[in-house]
């Protein structure tokens, strides 16, 4: 169990921020902070200060184990204290991190990885043995770590440490996209033998200081980080599950960075000198998932009608309040291997009505599963039902259990609201669109499609891979079960005294919620 280490901080709640407790909480959190919220960040990085970042949290059961990171605040804290061998760049291509480089053998089944000269917070070097231990811990069948599915491609018994800074990883099959595995969500390197994380030791830019689960985490600058020391002296994570509490913490000077604000909030404070809004474009795919293995969407004509009846711009304007861009029924717009040569779909109600009639579906009642598990899901169901009515379909929203929603829609129902964060297109395909995929929400199972994927990931030739990814996306665009209507911006609010927040970083990529390159003015 994670131990509790007392520190001067308090949980942020709506009542505490809006009522009489606000002054006391503010006084505690602001103690020792010399800059006022009205200060403006300089254009050039400056050293010093404590940045206070407020996120939604997971309550008293939160852990600092980086292999268990799942929520946004846990993912940000993990990257502050730990490193992966690689991570996602702005276009979700792979960027080296602890690994300075990698090289496969001719058969793409053994990959030699060279480590940087990096150290853990206790001064010990990051070694090949630490990588092997970390990956063995993640893939332990008795554990439930998120990166396990990605790393199970590695045959750890056949892998080895060549020397302290060189590790050779053996794969169970040829895999040209293996760097995607090194960047997998949660695939952090920890010291050999580490299994308790009440006082974690990592190799990231910030070192542990104190932790109150569900309340706050205080980190301090690690001067010897391989990628350069942070500009900040301290980084404090605070917890406020309600968006109103996060924005009020910022307005009241109790926080400098408020994670995950709504487009409505962004519009409200667009002219307020106390707030800066950063839009991280193309962060979240917004979609409807049609199950293609059962009526009514086992009928290709009806799926095409669904694509053609959808007014994507109306959904972006209403559900996302304009904070996003239209989709084209494909994942990964702007990412590496995205098929941007496929023409953008636009509404065609006449063709949609013709296809509905040909499918014998006029007057059909279709249940649409939704739940308040993600911003805009309930609104999406309402807007889409109005659009479907124009072509003779009756779409009826069916609200599910928010605690079990994602599990429920994997196997049940026929149509569901869906979204996804950033990941390589290869990962999206492997996790959701193969006959063997464990999170296949559209029940898309095509041996010919599986063969295209196998060709893409087993070929050393970049042109062959690019062609295979293009072919896969053309099939999905024409016949698939994902109706991708948009891509939402991710919004964060900061004090004007905060500099260096990247706007070119979709959620879950390296530079999203990253604080070692941020400074206070």
């Amino acid at each position: 169990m994670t131990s509790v280490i007392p520190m001067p901080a308090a949980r942020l709640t709506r009542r505490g921020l809006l009522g009489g407790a606000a002054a006391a909480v503010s006084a505690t959190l602001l103690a020792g902070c010399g800059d006022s919220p009205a200060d403006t960040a300089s254009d050039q990085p400056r050293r010093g200060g404590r940045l206070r970042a407020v996120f939604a949290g997971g309550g008293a059961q939160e852990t600092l184990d980086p292999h268990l990171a799942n929520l946004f605040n846990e993912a940000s804290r993990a990257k502050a204290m730990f490193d992966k061998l690689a991570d996602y760049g702005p276009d979700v291509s792979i960027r080296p991190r602890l690994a300075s480089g990698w090289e496969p053998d001719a058969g793409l089944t053994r990959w030699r990885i060279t480590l940087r000269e990096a150290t853990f917070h206790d001064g010990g070097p990051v070694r090949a043995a630490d990588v092997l231990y970390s990956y063995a811990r993640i893939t332990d069948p008795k554990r439930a770590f998120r990166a396990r599915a990605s790393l199970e491609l590695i045959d750890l018994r056949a892998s080895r440490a060549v020397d302290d800074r060189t590790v050779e990883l053996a794969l169970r099959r040829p895999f040209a996209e293996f760097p995607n595995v090194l960047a997998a969500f949660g695939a952090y390197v920890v010291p050999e033998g580490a299994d308790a994380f009440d006082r974690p030791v990592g190799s990231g830019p910030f070192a542990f200081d104190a932790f109150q689960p569900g309340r706050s985490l205080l980190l301090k600058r690690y001067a010897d980080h391989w990628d350069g020391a942070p500009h900040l002296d301290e980084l404090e994570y605070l917890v406020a599950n309600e968006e109103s509490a996060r924005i009020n913490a910022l307005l009241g000077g109790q926080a400098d960075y408020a994670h995950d604000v709504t487009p409505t909030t962004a519009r409200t404070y667009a002219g307020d000198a106390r707030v800066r809004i950063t839009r991280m474009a193309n962060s979240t795919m917004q979609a409807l998932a049609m199950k293609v293995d059962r009526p009514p969407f086992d009928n290709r004509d009806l799926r095409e009608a669904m694509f053609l009846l959808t007014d994507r711009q109306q959904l972006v304007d209403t559900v996302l309040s304009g904070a996003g861009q239209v989709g084209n029924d494909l994942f990964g717009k702007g990412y590496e291997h995205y098929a941007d040569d496929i023409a953008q779909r636009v509404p065609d109600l006449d063709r949609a009505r013709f296809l509905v009639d040909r499918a014998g579906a006029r007057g059909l009642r279709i249940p649409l599963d939704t739940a308040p598990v993600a911003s805009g899901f309930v609104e999406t169901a309402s807007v889409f039902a109005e659009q479907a009515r124009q072509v003779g379909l009756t779409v009826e929203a069916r609200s599910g259990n928010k605690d079990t929603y994602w599990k429920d829609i994997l196997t049940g129902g026929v149509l569901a609201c869906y979204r996804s964060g950033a990941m390589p297109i290869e990962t999206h395909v492997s996790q959701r669109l193969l006959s063997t995929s464990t999170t296949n929400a559209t029940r898309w199972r095509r041996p010919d499609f599986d063969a295209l994927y196998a060709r893409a990931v087993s070929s050393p030739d970049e042109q062959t891979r690019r062609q295979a990814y293009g072919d896969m996306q053309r099939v999905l665009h024409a016949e698939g079960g994902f109706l991708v209507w948009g891509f939402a911006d991710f919004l964060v609010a900061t004090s004007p005294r905060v500099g260096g927040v990247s706007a070119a970083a979709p959620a879950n990529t390296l530079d999203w919620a990253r604080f070692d390159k941020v400074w206070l003015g």
Side-chain angles (χ1 to χ4, degrees):
M1 179 179 293
T2 305
S3 65
V4 178
I5 302 170
M7 62 180 295
R11 183 184 178 97
L12 300 176
T13 65
R14 177 183 291 181
R15 180 175 296 178
L17 287 164
L18 300 182
V25 173
S26 180
T28 299
L29 293 178
L30 290 172
C33 297
D35 295 325
S36 72
D39 293 339
T40 301
S42 63
D43 292 334
Q44 296 301 316
R46 292 176 56 182
R47 163 74 193 277
R50 175 190 293 188
L51 183 135
R52 299 150 303 165
V54 58
F55 286 70
Q61 299 306 310
E62 285 181 345
T63 175
L64 298 182
D65 186 335
H67 299 156
L68 286 172
N70 189 48
L71 302 175
F72 279 138
N73 71 325
E74 294 168 340
S76 179
R77 295 183 321 201
K79 81 168 70 179
M81 291 185 287
F82 299 89
D83 285 308
K84 295 188 283 188
L85 293 182
D87 214 331
Y88 303 144
D91 64 350
V92 199
S93 60
I94 306 303
R95 302 287 191 267
R97 295 296 290 161
L98 278 178
S100 60
W102 43 77
E103 188 71 30
D105 65 1
L108 298 175
T109 58
R110 297 191 75 86
W111 288 71
R112 181 166 286 207
I113 297 162
T114 303
L115 302 179
R116 300 183 189 276
E117 291 187 9
T119 58
F120 290 109
H121 301 149
D122 61 3
V126 177
R127 304 163 301 135
D130 301 307
V131 174
L132 293 173
Y133 168 79
S134 299
Y135 283 11
R137 183 175 188 263
I138 291 169
T139 55
D140 182 346
K142 298 178 182 178
R143 314 291 282 267
F145 295 127
R146 180 167 172 172
R148 176 180 162 188
S150 298
L151 269 60
E152 282 183 331
L153 174 69
I154 303 171
D155 183 348
L156 285 170
R157 291 188 176 184
S159 301
R160 67 189 182 110
V162 178
D163 55 43
D164 277 354
R165 290 184 52 220
T166 310
V167 61
E168 191 172 86
L169 296 176
L171 308 189
R172 302 184 190 280
R173 63 182 185 275
F175 196 67
E177 305 280 12
F178 183 61
N180 290 348
V181 174
L182 307 180
F185 192 97
Y188 290 96
V189 175
V190 302
E192 185 178 16
D195 201 43
F197 293 89
D198 52 340
R199 299 187 65 87
V201 174
S203 62
F206 292 95
F208 175 84
D209 193 319
F211 181 42
Q212 286 185 309
R215 294 170 64 88
S216 56
L217 169 68
L218 183 62
L219 306 178
K220 57 189 177 183
R221 179 178 187 264
Y222 181 52
D224 295 326
H225 189 243
W226 62 267
D227 195 26
H231 305 301
L232 302 168
D233 288 333
E234 294 178 312
L235 170 62
E236 185 174 13
Y237 287 88
L238 304 171
V239 172
N241 285 327
E242 294 174 320
E243 189 235 12
S244 59
R246 294 195 295 277
I247 195 68
N248 278 299
L250 184 69
L251 294 171
Q254 299 165 255
D256 308 295
Y257 176 105
H259 187 260
D260 194 6
V261 299
T262 65
T264 300
T265 294
R267 284 202 313 273
T268 300
Y269 294 100
D272 195 314
R274 299 170 296 172
V275 178
R276 284 183 178 171
I277 300 294
T278 299
R279 295 177 179 266
M280 301 172 182
N282 201 18
S283 282
T284 308
M285 177 187 84
Q286 306 288 321
L288 298 173
M290 299 179 282
K291 285 192 168 51
V292 303
D293 67 338
R294 65 197 65 174
F297 296 118
D298 56 351
N299 186 303
R300 179 176 170 179
D301 282 346
L302 187 57
R303 298 200 300 274
E304 184 180 352
M306 296 285 280
F307 291 140
L308 292 174
L309 71 85
T310 306
D311 186 335
R312 292 160 175 77
Q313 190 62 58
Q314 182 188 29
L315 283 162
V316 169
D317 291 342
T318 55
V319 176
L320 304 181
S321 299
Q325 56 184 311
V326 298
N328 195 29
D329 303 320
L330 295 170
F331 175 83
K333 191 170 187 176
Y335 296 172
E336 188 175 40
H337 299 310
Y338 182 75
D340 54 10
D341 59 331
I342 298 176
Q344 173 66 50
R345 269 203 178 103
V346 295
D348 187 340
L349 297 184
D350 289 338
R351 173 71 177 170
R353 291 187 189 101
F354 168 78
L355 291 167
V356 167
D357 288 340
R358 192 164 76 177
R362 184 169 290 274
L364 183 67
R365 306 181 83 86
I366 304 172
L368 169 55
D369 290 318
T370 188
V373 293
S375 177
F377 269 24
V378 175
E379 293 85 350
T380 297
S382 176
V383 174
F384 186 76
E386 288 296 323
Q387 295 180 359
R389 189 172 292 115
Q390 298 177 79
V391 301
L393 299 175
T394 300
V395 171
E396 300 175 324
R398 183 169 66 183
S399 186
N401 185 333
K402 66 182 180 62
D403 296 324
T404 61
Y405 179 80
W406 295 108
K407 178 177 179 290
D408 294 342
I409 67 167
L410 278 181
T411 55
V414 297
L415 180 67
C417 291
Y418 194 93
R419 77 169 185 175
S420 171
M423 63 180 66
I425 289 174
E426 176 277 319
T427 306
H428 168 72
V429 172
S430 66
Q431 291 184 358
R432 299 165 177 162
L433 293 167
L434 300 182
S435 298
T436 56
S437 296
T438 56
T439 54
N440 192 334
T442 63
R443 316 305 286 177
W444 172 265
R445 292 188 174 94
R446 291 269 297 265
D448 56 340
F449 186 88
D450 296 348
L452 280 172
Y453 172 79
R455 183 191 309 167
V457 300
S458 64
S459 175
D461 180 63
E462 173 61 28
Q463 180 57 39
T464 299
R465 294 201 299 276
R466 187 180 302 114
Q467 180 65 45
Y469 281 116
D471 290 345
M472 280 187 278
Q473 289 173 89
R474 276 180 277 278
V475 171
L476 291 169
H477 189 263
E479 305 178 39
F482 276 122
L483 193 168
V484 182
W485 58 262
F487 291 88
D489 298 344
F490 202 92
L491 308 178
V492 299
T494 65
S495 160
R497 74 193 196 111
V498 177
V501 176
S502 175
N508 292 340
T509 59
L510 172 63
D511 291 331
W512 155 84
R514 179 185 182 186
F515 297 111
D516 57 310
K517 304 303 181 186
V518 169
W519 63 90
L520 295 172

